[in-house]
């Protein structure tokens, strides 16, 4: 799914212009990102839950050279599908 797909869906369902649909899609994505930063997660009922998890620093291997490389700690986003989504798919 892309921003263009979301904008096209909004445009078709509401009958608004393409510019307005693109703006609405951008605002929707920005609101989701803001909520995930603030709360550490986001739930869409009947779809699933997005959660932000911290990753620990670790050692990895460079695939080209095989040398060990240090990977810094960071954050990643996880998704868990709701039972309704699992049934629908």
């Amino acid at each position: 799914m892309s921003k263009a797909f979301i904008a096209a869906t909004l445009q078709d369902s509401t009958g608004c212009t393409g510019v307005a649909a693109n703006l609405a899609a951008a605002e929707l994505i920005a609101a989701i990102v803001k909520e995930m930063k603030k709360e550490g997660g986001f739930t869409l009922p009947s779809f699933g839950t997005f959660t932000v998890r911290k990753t620990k620093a670790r050692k990895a291997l460079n695939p080209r050279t095989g040398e060990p490389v240090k990977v810094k700690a960071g954050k990643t986003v996880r998704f868990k599908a709701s039972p309704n989504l699992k049934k629908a798919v």
Side-chain angles (χ1 to χ4, degrees), residues 45-64:
S46 299
F47 186 73
T49 303
F50 295 89
T51 56
V52 178
R53 293 193 181 169
K54 294 180 181 178
T55 58
K56 295 181 180 180
R58 64 189 188 279
K59 293 181 184 177
L61 292 177
N62 182 334
R64 288 189 182 178

Side-chain angles (χ1 to χ4, degrees), residues 1 4 27-28 31-32 35 51 63 67 72 77 80 86:
M1 182 183 296
E27 290 295 323
L28 175 67
I32 291 171
E35 182 70 15
T51 56
E67 294 178 18
K72 295 180 181 179
V77 177
K80 182 178 180 187
K86 290 179 182 179

